Amino acid sequence: MSGRRPRQGATMADVARAAGVSVTTVSHVLNKTRPVLPDTVRAVQNAVAACGYVPEKVARLQNEGLGTIGLAMSAMSNPYFSDVVHGIDRHSVAAGYSLLLADTHDDEDTELRAVGELLRRRVSAVILAPSGDGERTLTYIRQAQVPVVVLDRFVEQDVDQIGVENVEATAQLVDHLVAIGHRRIAMVAGRAGLATSTERTEGYRLGLRRNGVAERPELVAAGDSHAQPAEAAVAALLRLPEPPTAIVVGNNRMTIGAMRQLRAEGLTVPDDIALVAFDDFEWSDLFHPRLTAIAQPTLAIGEQAFGLALSRIRAPATPPRRVLIRPDFMHRESCGCRPETHDAGAPASPAG
């Protein structure tokens, strides 16, 4: 965190002027004492972030070492984040901190509201998986002088950040598919605007280029990071005049949708089509065939995210850190390799 202090003298009246509403309306939005129209709520929240306004009680108490870490992420709907939370919890409990979780639903307006609630509850630090570029939310947190760690989705801001390497890891999946004979390789990409989606799609394209495989725009389908859109994406890919022989899927929820659609189409993995994915599942070994995937060390990510937050609480003037963790290639059979070539530590040889 920088040593910059929040805007001095920012009051509820400043927020009201910025939002174009009355002070009473601002009070109702912040204290939830009366229903307010959604557009008005959004205007007040944006004004709060822009002004750097923090209620006096919160400003006075939030840096007194109260021992609560706020987590703002889509943990309820994303199995990956649920696993990360376990890693954070394991180390925070040992350090004497409790956790307060706010689900952002991967929506920027919801995220801003969720973080505002965490700040009102006087958290000692915030760990945030941003729903977009994170600019509004991070500005709000930093103006409130609360330590913040960005998790999973890197941003162009000078804050502590931790996540996995996405580009080379995804390219590695493509390398393997090319090595075992595939040329029409499709990508089911995550939601536009998320750093992880952009990086994994970039990795897919990198893998094609360095293997001399021509990029075909029609082979990149939008899965929107959820199972149902991924089903539609796979259905569209299979309707192409030249459908893919292999699919790279950008996250675990989309993998569920992709597998569901392939089954609905009567296709067998990997006999009819190969399938590989970014994100492993705890139960991937129970799939038949077992899923070839990039596995993120979720517990380690959570533990290190808490470590960054604790370091920032204890030493707020130290330079921000960016921690990049290398994920693991889990080589199983959904790519089309024979079971006897299984090697959990590295991709198979071209003979796969």
Side-chain angles (χ1 to χ4, degrees), residues 173-244:
L173 289 172
V174 177
D175 289 343
H176 181 62
L177 291 171
V178 173
I180 59 177
H182 293 281
R183 293 297 181 272
R184 294 197 305 280
I185 302 170
M187 172 81 180
V188 177
R191 182 165 69 84
L194 294 182
T196 47
S197 300
T198 300
E199 291 170 2
R200 291 169 194 175
T201 304
E202 180 184 341
Y204 160 78
R205 292 181 170 131
L206 171 63
L208 294 179
R209 288 196 304 271
R210 73 186 183 193
N211 285 284
V213 178
E215 294 182 41
R216 297 173 57 183
E218 69 273 18
L219 289 180
V220 178
D224 201 35
S225 296
H226 289 275
Q228 194 166 6
E231 291 181 42
V234 170
L237 289 170
L238 296 175
R239 288 195 297 268
L240 292 172
E242 292 183 86

Side-chain angles (χ1 to χ4, degrees), residues 143-154:
Q143 288 179 330
Q145 287 193 300
V146 175
V148 60
V149 175
V150 168
L151 174 74
D152 186 57
R153 300 155 180 175
F154 291 110

Side-chain angles (χ1 to χ4, degrees), residues 83-324:
D83 292 341
V84 170
V85 170
H86 288 306
I88 297 171
D89 181 64
R90 189 161 72 179
H91 272 227
S92 63
V93 170
Y97 282 79
S98 59
L99 300 183
L100 188 59
L101 177 62
D103 199 318
T104 65
H105 300 284
D106 269 341
D107 175 80
E108 292 183 78
D109 289 334
T110 303
E111 172 185 292
L112 194 62
R113 290 195 296 271
V115 167
E117 185 62 29
L118 292 176
L119 295 180
R120 282 187 284 277
R121 290 175 181 267
R122 308 181 309 222
V123 295
S124 302
V126 173
I127 298 175
L128 169 71
S131 305
D133 63 15
E135 183 175 355
R136 286 191 303 162
T137 303
L138 287 169
T139 297
Y140 185 19
I141 297 170
R142 296 181 73 181
Q143 288 179 330
Q145 287 193 300
V146 175
V148 60
V149 175
V150 168
L151 174 74
D152 186 57
R153 300 155 180 175
F154 291 110
V155 298
E156 298 297 326
Q157 295 206 38
D158 197 23
V159 296
D160 293 317
Q161 306 187 52
I162 182 169
V164 299
E165 196 290 315
N166 288 294
V167 178
E168 180 60 32
T170 309
Q172 190 177 21
L173 289 172
V174 177
D175 289 343
H176 181 62
L177 291 171
V178 173
I180 59 177
H182 293 281
R183 293 297 181 272
R184 294 197 305 280
I185 302 170
M187 172 81 180
V188 177
R191 182 165 69 84
L194 294 182
T196 47
S197 300
T198 300
E199 291 170 2
R200 291 169 194 175
T201 304
E202 180 184 341
Y204 160 78
R205 292 181 170 131
L206 171 63
L208 294 179
R209 288 196 304 271
R210 73 186 183 193
N211 285 284
V213 178
E215 294 182 41
R216 297 173 57 183
E218 69 273 18
L219 289 180
V220 178
D224 201 35
S225 296
H226 289 275
Q228 194 166 6
E231 291 181 42
V234 170
L237 289 170
L238 296 175
R239 288 195 297 268
L240 292 172
E242 292 183 86
T245 62
I247 300 176
V248 177
V249 186
N251 78 357
N252 49 21
R253 287 180 291 179
M254 292 190 295
T255 298
I256 293 171
M259 296 178 74
R260 186 181 296 143
Q261 186 61 35
L262 291 174
R263 184 168 60 247
E265 300 275 353
L267 298 177
T268 301
V269 176
D271 295 339
D272 297 315
I273 190 166
L275 183 73
V276 299
F278 204 107
D279 279 344
D280 205 18
F281 297 87
E282 183 180 356
W283 28 271
S284 291
D285 279 348
L286 301 180
F287 288 167
H288 181 73
R290 297 185 299 172
L291 183 66
T292 293
I294 296 296
Q296 303 190 64
T298 51
L299 288 177
I301 291 169
E303 291 167 1
Q304 292 192 47
F306 173 74
L308 286 172
L310 189 59
S311 295
R312 181 61 53 195
I313 292 168
R314 292 173 174 173
T318 57
R321 287 174 288 175
R322 180 184 173 110
V323 179
L324 195 64

Side-chain angles (χ1 to χ4, degrees), residues 6-77:
R7 174 182 168 181
Q8 297 299 310
T11 65
M12 201 176 288
D14 295 324
V15 174
R17 280 192 294 272
V21 299
S22 68
V23 172
T24 301
T25 298
V26 173
S27 177
H28 286 313
V29 170
L30 296 180
N31 297 309
K32 299 182 180 179
T33 50
R34 192 189 73 187
V36 179
L37 291 173
D39 287 347
T40 304
V41 171
R42 190 174 300 111
V44 170
Q45 290 167 342
N46 288 340
V48 165
C51 294
Y53 171 74
V54 179
E56 181 181 354
K57 181 174 65 175
V58 176
R60 184 175 66 251
L61 295 175
Q62 64 190 184
N63 288 320
E64 292 183 357
L66 298 176
T68 302
I69 303 295
L71 308 180
M73 55 186 66
S74 57
M76 303 302 181
S77 56

